[in-house]
Amino acid sequence: MHETAGTSGISLAAGPEPRSRAGGDEAVRRSSLGLSVALLVQYAVGLWLDLYVTVPARDADGGVLAAVGRALANGPAALAVHAGLGLVLLLGSIVLVVRAVLARAGFFVVTSAISLLAVLGAAGSGAAFVNHGSDGASLVMGLLTAVALLCQLRSEERRVGKECRSRW
C-alpha cells in the first residue's frame, strides 16, 4: 500500500499498486517450469508403463472418464499414478493458459495454449490405450506429451534469450 497526500494535508491510504506485467510474467514462467518438470516425470512414467505394465483386460471398453476412473481405481499402481499425474497436468495446463492471458504475455499464451491442446490429446490417447490397448494410441500419447514439453521449454528458452540480450 502506498499513501497519497490529500488537499487537506491528511494522508489517505490508497489501494495496492497494480501488479506489474513483469510479476505476471514471472508467475507464468514459474508455472511453465513446474509444468515442464511434471511433463518429464509423466513421460518417464509413461515409458515405464509401456515397457513393463500390462493394462488389465477388465479395463477395456468405455469412454475417457471411465478409462481414467478405472485406471485410478483398479490400478496397477503405476497406471493410477500416471492417470493422476495426467489430471494434474491438465489442471496445470489450464491454469498456465489463464495466467498467460492475464499477464498479457502473447508468446506464452500461444505456447501454453498449444501445450494444453497437446495434453488434452494425450489424455484422449491415453484413454484410448486403456480402452483398446492400441500401440498407436500409446505412440500418439507419447508424441503429444513431447509436443507439450517442447512448448514449455521453448517458452523458457525464449525468456532466457531475452535476458541475455538485455545484458549486452
Side-chain angles (χ1 to χ4, degrees):
M1 304 239 327
H2 63 280
E3 294 188 15
T4 58
T7 56
S8 64
I10 300 173
S11 295
L12 303 172
E17 292 185 29
R19 190 172 193 186
S20 68
R21 182 166 183 248
D25 283 353
E26 186 59 33
V28 171
R29 285 187 211 114
R30 282 193 314 266
S31 296
S32 180
L33 181 60
L35 200 59
S36 296
V37 171
L39 282 163
L40 279 172
V41 170
Q42 181 75 328
Y43 202 76
V45 171
L47 287 173
W48 189 82
L49 276 168
D50 200 31
L51 293 173
Y52 301 113
V53 175
T54 301
V55 176
R58 69 178 183 267
D59 288 350
D61 297 323
V64 173
L65 295 177
V68 172
R70 286 191 309 268
L72 291 171
N74 299 336
L79 183 59
V81 168
H82 191 59
L85 185 54
L87 292 174
V88 170
L89 282 168
L90 183 58
L91 181 62
S93 296
I94 292 168
V95 168
L96 183 59
V97 169
V98 170
R99 282 186 166 178
V101 168
L102 291 175
R104 295 185 184 119
F107 183 78
F108 287 116
V109 171
V110 172
T111 57
S112 61
I114 293 170
S115 180
L116 172 60
L117 292 174
V119 168
L120 282 169
S125 294
F129 179 74
V130 168
N131 286 331
H132 308 293
S134 165
D135 289 338
S138 180
L139 175 65
V140 170
M141 182 174 38
L143 290 174
L144 288 173
T145 302
V147 167
L149 181 59
L150 286 172
C151 286
Q152 298 309 318
L153 294 177
R154 177 64 181 121
S155 295
E156 187 62 18
E157 182 270 330
R158 185 170 190 258
R159 178 193 68 81
V160 171
K162 279 184 174 182
E163 285 181 5
C164 289
R165 284 190 299 274
S166 70
R167 291 182 184 155
W168 288 93

